[in-house]
Amino acid sequence: MSDSANDSESSSASPGWFWILLGALTIAFHIGLVFVGLVPNLVARPLHMALALPWTLVLIARNRFERVTGIILASAGIAILVGLAWQQEALGDQYGFLEGNFQIGCAIMLLLITLEMARRAIGWPLPLVAAAALAYGLWGHHIPGEFGHPGTPLSSYLGTLTIAEGGLWGSLTAVSVNIVAVFVIFGAVLNAGEAGQGFMNIAAAAAGRLRGGAAKVAVVSSALFGSISGSASANVASTGAVTLPAMTRLGYPRALAGATEAVASSGGQIMPPLMGAGAFVMVELIGVPYTSIMAAALLPALLYFFAVWVGIDAFSRRFVLRGLPADQRPPWRIVAITSGFFLVPFSLLMWGMFGAGYTPQYAACLAIFGAAALLPLDTGLRPDLRRLGQRAADLTVSAGRQVSMIAAIILCASLVVGVLSITGLGVKVTSLILSGAGQHIWPALALTAIACLILGMEVPTTAAYVICVSVAGPALIELGLSPLLAHLFVFWYALLSTITPPVCGAVFIAAGMVGENWLKVAAFAMVLGVGLYLIPLGMVANPALIEMVDHPGLALAAMAKVGVALAAVSFGAIAPGPAWRRALLVVLGLAVLFAPIDALSPA
């Protein structure tokens, strides 16, 4: 499910008993938190990190040296974290101040381990950003002028980051512990069974016969699979294993096939109900229910896949893009059976959140139990206990690993957010954006979009969103955007790097799978994925688009307006024909997108 946790995963070896048991413990711990009731934050959050350390420091070690050092660091980190949880009452009475060199040493060790676990999980960029932030907190008082800070005593600075809720154990980590982990487990249980095949069967039956049908199957299946995976790279690797060979077999240009899968898969992080880890972080940062986030994100997500669909249809006029042969489309009986493998858990999830009014994590637990009950069955509804054992082993390792990868990202990003708060740097950057934009919203949006693209090239989507919204979000809100709209804008543009060169993770994976030059794939992807660039601007120009809960009629009208604009731009940019006609379509589309319609503005 991770927006970007999965982006960094390498394929895991066959799981051993230690990892199966650790994965089962990780699942039991996070589901148990939902049912046990209130657990002190300085117990649940450090133990969450302790469970993540072996996965990030040992399992993914690339050589003997990393494995040995990983065991040492994980052991030291677990000892510190268990001690922190054990002494949480006494440490709480210190109010964020460390006492003595031993506590300071443990705090420094904990921060270094956090940086290292993130480095091993996702590479150098995010840990370097976090290390720079930590250095600024330590020595920024030596910087002259506006961007210096008054300075913070070392015991208070390190204590706020490690034994209070102003750093490692802040609101971002709370999201990872209480919500993200449970939904990751839900996705792992679904993926271990036949739900993925159900997605593919529905997509093939619904879209396979159409013009460009093989590509449209990729769009539908990626939208469905992405709704539970929340990771562009995981989506490409899973659905692409089926759709890419089908497209190339039917003669689709390899660059177009790879671009279709990369663009469609990138929509997983904006498609409800899961939307990647960033959506759960958004809940905590702006204090709205997750169901409201889902409702606000639904219409823009549907518009994104609509724009991709129109683009494929336009490409089918330029190239010969055939549909799937009849013998490759599953019969409706099989479609009906396999669809139950995800409809049952999804129905439980939706009923729990919208019908019964349960919290998202409680509803997700109900869905987990429903999906787990289906694990022994195959597509013929025949039970097999041997299959159940293998699937259970696979899902425990998959869940434990994914939970830990996301934890590594969020813990590291929490350090950046903590330093911004301690030093006041976030307020200063916000003032810089406001002055640079001349107090005008569109220049501020442009600056924010550029920052999201640059940062998204270096760090995972969730981290890019958290860091960018921490510094740019207040500026956008001050300039008139609602908090939800400002956060959705940043969240969408944090995804730009999945298909935009020079660093475009989804494109790299798809290009490798089809054996095509990644730059060619990226060129097709940027045209096909035009919705990713325009829809955030459309949300700002048409704020009713995200008002599905309060103003459903206006939201649907705004959706129709933006949909017409996207169709014109996408078709004009791709379909064959005279250049003047194509340019006119693009210009008209943009005019419709930005045209002010007062009737669509909620009172």
Side-chain angles (χ1 to χ4, degrees):
M1 114 110 214
S2 147
D3 50 355
S4 40
N6 288 334
D7 297 353
S8 313
E9 290 186 29
S10 56
S11 58
S12 60
S14 298
W17 279 108
F18 173 80
W19 300 108
I20 293 172
L21 293 174
L22 183 60
L25 178 61
T26 301
I27 292 172
F29 173 76
H30 290 95
I31 291 180
L33 288 177
V34 177
F35 292 98
V36 166
L38 294 177
V39 176
N41 293 337
L42 282 184
V43 173
R45 298 173 193 180
L47 292 182
H48 172 69
M49 180 177 175
L51 287 168
L53 288 177
W55 301 95
T56 53
L57 294 176
V58 181
L59 179 66
I60 62 175
R62 291 165 292 187
N63 51 54
R64 181 175 175 80
F65 174 78
E66 281 200 356
R67 187 172 183 82
V68 172
T69 55
I71 292 172
I72 295 171
L73 289 173
S75 300
I78 291 171
I80 294 172
L81 292 163
V82 170
L84 196 159
W86 185 262
Q87 297 289 329
Q88 61 90 16
E89 286 190 15
L91 292 173
D93 292 337
Q94 295 179 200
Y95 300 103
F97 285 85
L98 297 178
E99 297 177 353
N101 291 333
F102 178 75
Q103 287 191 355
I104 291 176
C106 287
I108 293 172
M109 187 69 179
L110 197 56
L111 295 178
L112 292 176
I113 290 172
T114 302
L115 297 178
E116 177 62 8
M117 70 184 292
R119 184 194 71 80
R120 294 195 184 191
I122 55 173
W124 281 101
L126 179 58
L128 287 178
V129 171
L134 291 172
Y136 175 79
L138 285 173
W139 300 297
H141 57 282
H142 295 300
I143 298 175
E146 181 182 354
F147 283 91
H149 64 81
T152 306
L154 182 64
S155 62
S156 174
Y157 177 64
L158 295 178
T160 302
L161 293 174
T162 57
I163 66 168
E165 296 181 24
L168 284 176
W169 319 127
S171 59
L172 296 186
T173 305
V175 176
S176 180
V177 176
N178 298 325
I179 304 179
V180 174
V182 178
F183 276 88
V184 167
I185 295 166
F186 173 49
V189 176
L190 277 180
N191 291 331
E194 299 289 347
Q197 187 59 49
F199 291 145
M200 297 303 302
N201 287 344
I202 280 190
R209 70 187 73 234
L210 304 176
R211 179 174 58 198
K216 290 172 179 175
V217 166
V219 175
V220 176
S221 60
S222 293
L224 292 171
F225 184 83
S227 68
I228 64 165
S229 75
S231 165
S233 295
N235 209 343
V236 172
S238 53
T239 60
V242 177
T243 60
L244 290 173
M247 284 187 276
T248 54
R249 232 182 0 254
L250 291 171
Y252 287 41
R254 291 182 179 273
L256 176 58
T260 299
E261 185 57 50
V263 171
S265 294
S266 295
Q269 292 182 75
I270 55 176
M271 185 67 181
L274 265 63
M275 299 172 59
F280 299 107
V281 174
M282 194 183 302
V283 172
E284 182 65 32
L285 292 180
I286 59 179
V288 300
Y290 181 62
T291 50
S292 297
I293 300 288
M294 287 174 52
L298 179 61
L299 297 186
L302 293 176
L303 283 171
Y304 174 82
F305 286 105
F306 168 73
V308 179
W309 186 284
V310 171
I312 290 169
D313 209 63
F315 270 124
S316 69
R317 298 172 185 269
R318 180 182 296 184
F319 305 106
V320 179
L321 304 182
R322 298 192 298 275
L324 288 175
D327 61 350
Q328 295 184 26
R329 299 197 297 267
W332 283 104
R333 176 181 172 276
I334 298 298
V335 174
I337 292 173
T338 55
S339 64
F341 285 94
F342 67 86
L343 285 179
V344 169
F346 263 58
S347 298
L348 286 170
L349 179 67
M350 295 296 103
W351 172 80
M353 286 197 294
F354 295 102
Y358 297 142
T359 62
Q361 55 266 45
Y362 190 90
C365 286
L366 297 180
I368 289 170
F369 300 147
L374 299 174
L375 285 180
L377 305 178
D378 62 12
T379 53
L381 301 181
R382 294 179 296 267
D384 186 335
L385 294 180
R386 181 178 301 177
R387 179 187 296 111
L388 173 61
Q390 183 59 52
R391 287 177 173 176
D394 290 342
L395 81 87
T396 56
V397 175
S398 174
R401 180 177 179 133
Q402 291 180 49
V403 167
S404 302
M405 294 296 176
I406 295 177
I409 295 167
I410 289 184
L411 285 164
C412 197
S414 294
L415 294 178
V416 178
V417 175
V419 171
L420 290 176
S421 175
I422 293 170
T423 62
L425 180 61
V427 176
K428 296 170 184 175
V429 175
T430 296
S431 300
L432 183 65
I433 292 173
L434 290 172
S435 60
Q439 298 292 323
H440 297 295
I441 185 63
W442 291 105
L445 291 172
L447 291 172
T448 303
I450 293 169
C452 288
L453 176 60
I454 294 172
L455 193 59
M457 292 178 187
E458 301 297 332
V459 304
T461 301
T462 300
Y465 157 67
V466 169
I467 296 170
C468 280
V469 86
S470 295
V471 296
L476 299 181
I477 293 169
E478 187 172 332
L479 288 171
L481 295 191
S482 69
L484 180 56
L485 180 53
H487 280 251
L488 282 173
F489 180 88
V490 175
F491 184 55
W492 270 67
Y493 271 137
L495 286 170
L496 285 181
S497 61
T498 60
I499 61 172
T500 308
V503 179
C504 36
V507 165
F508 288 152
I509 295 173
M513 293 177 72
V514 296
E516 182 56 275
N517 182 290
W518 71 270
L519 281 173
K520 294 181 180 178
V521 176
F524 276 101
M526 291 174 69
V527 177
L528 196 58
V530 66
L532 191 58
Y533 302 88
L534 293 182
I535 291 174
L537 300 175
M539 287 190 285
V540 175
N542 307 272
L545 185 61
I546 66 169
E547 297 281 346
M548 190 63 184
V549 173
D550 298 325
H551 306 88
L554 293 175
L556 292 173
M559 180 188 184
K561 173 177 178 286
V562 176
V564 168
L566 290 172
V569 172
S570 186
F571 200 82
I574 296 171
W580 67 267
R581 188 173 66 193
R582 295 171 56 199
L584 181 61
L585 273 175
V586 171
V587 171
L588 288 175
L590 293 174
V592 170
L593 182 72
F594 293 105
I597 300 181
D598 295 337
L600 294 183
S601 299

